Amino acid sequence: MELLGWVVAGLFAPPGEALFRELQGGTLEEALGELKGTPVSLPHPSFPALQEAYTALFVTNPQGVPAPPYAGYARDGVLLGPSHHALLEIYREGGLEVQETWRDLPDHLAALGEAIALLASRRPDLAERLAREFLHPWLKRFGEAVKAHDPTGFYAQAVELLAEVIYAKTGVSQT
């Protein structure tokens, strides 16, 4: 679960030089391959194309953001709803706190990924619960939108791989 968490955190944080280096160097594919149990090949878009795709998919889009990166929104259809508060309770139960320097909501997928990674060794039950109850619903609700609207194919393939990995690790259905 720890590797899954770090991969999710890296994929859903705004793309910076580190993600681009991991993609170009093959370390992201190696990590996804380790999670899946078979070699993985991802599209390698240019850095500006990756940033544009991220922005259009998850941040701002004239036609509406196709996949808001908030786990609570995927479950409830609203920001700061009951799922947001349930997620915060799981964070508290696992001894996690949202740092003041974090500039987004605590149910952002990058934060969720970090929480899964941090809880994997000390509270594996909570890490799996986060993947099953929060990451999986986001992938189920928004995975097809990412696939339909990603001009690079990078995020489309990544969400498909994550759905397969979560199924393998937690047994939750991909559909």
Side-chain angles (χ1 to χ4, degrees):
M1 277 297 183
E2 182 176 358
L3 183 57
L4 172 65
W6 291 127
V7 167
V8 168
L11 283 172
F12 291 104
E17 288 291 332
L19 176 63
F20 192 66
R21 277 193 311 274
E22 288 174 4
L23 181 59
Q24 296 307 319
T27 55
L28 180 58
E29 290 163 317
E30 287 175 21
L32 284 165
E34 184 177 327
L35 288 167
K36 188 175 179 202
T38 60
V40 167
S41 177
L42 292 170
H44 287 235
S46 68
F47 185 53
L50 193 62
Q51 290 178 314
E52 289 171 18
Y54 181 90
T55 300
L57 289 166
F58 308 121
V59 181
T60 184
N61 189 316
Q63 290 79 38
V65 175
Y70 301 100
Y73 185 82
R75 288 176 36 145
D76 303 335
V78 296
L79 293 173
L80 305 174
S83 293
H84 169 85
H85 298 291
L87 182 69
L88 288 177
E89 187 53 41
I90 294 171
Y91 287 179
R92 275 190 287 281
E93 186 179 339
L96 301 179
E97 295 179 11
V98 179
Q99 295 180 353
E100 290 183 25
T101 56
W102 178 248
R103 296 198 169 276
D104 212 322
L105 297 175
D107 64 338
H108 188 284
L109 295 178
L112 180 63
E114 285 188 23
I116 291 169
L118 293 170
L119 290 171
S121 62
R122 65 179 184 217
R123 288 295 305 268
D125 59 317
L126 294 180
E128 183 175 328
R129 188 171 165 202
L130 290 174
R132 190 178 57 249
E133 295 179 18
F134 292 90
L135 182 56
H136 174 260
W138 187 91
L139 291 166
K140 189 173 180 181
R141 179 165 180 183
F142 294 118
E144 290 304 316
V146 171
K147 292 176 196 175
H149 297 281
D150 179 9
T152 67
F154 171 79
Y155 288 104
Q157 191 166 350
V159 298
E160 189 170 311
L161 289 166
L162 287 174
E164 291 174 21
V165 167
I166 289 173
Y167 173 73
K169 292 201 172 289
T170 67
V172 231
S173 171
Q174 294 182 56
T175 58

